[in-house]
Amino acid sequence: MIKVEKLNKSFGNLHVLKDIDMTVKDSEVVCLIGASGSGKSTLLRCLNYLEFKDSGLVIIGGEQIEKETHDLNKVRARVGMVFQHFNLFPHKTVIENVIEAPIYVKKISKEKAIIEAKALLKKVGLSDKENVYPSKLSGGQKQRVAIARALAMKPEIMLFDEPTSALDPELVGEVLATMKELAEEGMTMIVVTHEMGFAREVADWAVYMHEGRIVEVGHPKELFSNPKEKRTKNFLDSVL
Ligand code: ADP
Ligand code: MG
């Protein structure tokens, strides 16, 4: 579904991603862990072209994506992203947030967009909030709207960048539950998270990144309890 080969990215002199190789198959859930600054967000942003790689390949659904040859709005529609800080439009209601991109990027009719948005809001348990503004929602509700908004583009893959890190602890569970449901429905997902319980339960495999490199890959249960690399062990000792 998504394949990355020898991906490199620098910001000026700072070499942030170093020869990243990764293949995520259809319906797999991958958790990406690593210290702050290790390059996790940059990797996700390179996968949906919010950032441009310097070299290497990104292959989505068998198709090699290059910014010169592809309509990046279409690529971003195929690769949905959910951010730590929700990034909802504050001046739009919940349902307006969800229908915006399908109407303006995918050019579907407003009527159809509304029908689909209502179904998605029902799925994330927010049918009663359709006409409310984001400022009236809890963090967990905002994040579930953000998930519905990403799903409205019918992405092939969903990227989650620390989706629960900005939430009060009591709101984390509802967002993880929504993500788990999505995983069970077969969505291909890459999730940056330090929620080890979620990773153990939902992820097919986990990736540990350190200073821009993938240091270790394994089944979460195996990687978390029995890391082979000293750097992985040190990191896990610091977060567990
Ligand atoms: P992580 O998500 O693992 O915390 P990031 O991918 O956000 O790591 O950042 C990796 C490194 O790249 C950090 O040193 C960060 O400061 C730097 N970085 C990220 N984005 C930019 C940018 N737009 N310009 C310059 N440096 C950046
Ligand atoms: Mg980050």
Side-chain angles (χ1 to χ4, degrees), residues 124-216:
V124 300
L126 292 173
S127 287
D128 56 333
K129 303 291 181 191
E130 279 174 20
N131 300 310
V132 162
Y133 285 90
S135 60
K136 298 276 183 264
L137 299 177
S138 72
Q141 291 170 334
K142 283 183 202 168
Q143 196 57 299
R144 287 185 283 143
V145 174
I147 293 171
R149 184 178 59 172
L151 291 175
M153 296 299 273
K154 302 195 169 73
E156 295 157 47
I157 301 153
M158 285 281 284
L159 311 177
F160 293 86
D161 194 356
E162 302 203 33
T164 60
S165 305
L167 301 178
D168 292 335
E170 72 272 20
L171 303 176
V172 168
E174 65 191 62
V175 173
L176 293 179
T178 301
M179 291 166 61
K180 187 176 169 202
E181 213 178 289
L182 204 54
E184 283 165 355
E185 287 169 10
M187 178 60 80
T188 309
M189 300 172 33
I190 304 178
V191 184
V192 175
T193 186
H194 294 148
E195 293 291 337
M196 298 303 185
F198 174 84
R200 274 174 199 269
E201 201 183 340
V202 179
D204 296 294
W205 43 285
V207 175
Y208 171 63
M209 270 180 82
H210 178 75
E211 294 178 357
R213 284 185 202 282
I214 292 181
V215 169
E216 190 165 349

Side-chain angles (χ1 to χ4, degrees), residues 50-122:
L50 289 174
E51 251 359 305
F52 299 140
K53 63 190 164 69
D54 296 331
S55 64
L57 296 181
V58 175
I59 298 164
I60 298 171
E63 192 184 349
Q64 184 182 331
I65 309 292
E66 298 295 344
K67 68 175 188 297
E68 292 79 10
T69 50
H70 284 79
D71 176 345
L72 296 182
N73 281 325
K74 290 204 179 120
V75 174
R76 290 179 198 126
R78 295 172 66 184
V79 185
M81 183 135 170
V82 173
F83 304 87
Q84 184 177 350
H85 292 289
F86 331 123
N87 297 6
L88 297 176
F89 303 114
H91 56 287
K92 288 184 188 293
T93 63
V94 163
I95 196 155
E96 286 167 353
N97 265 279
V98 179
I99 63 175
E100 171 85 11
I103 291 175
Y104 292 100
V105 180
K106 282 209 152 169
K107 313 283 181 203
I108 76 167
S109 73
K110 187 167 181 184
E111 292 68 30
K112 186 155 182 262
I114 287 175
I115 291 168
E116 292 180 358
K118 282 176 186 272
L120 285 169
L121 289 170
K122 186 166 177 209

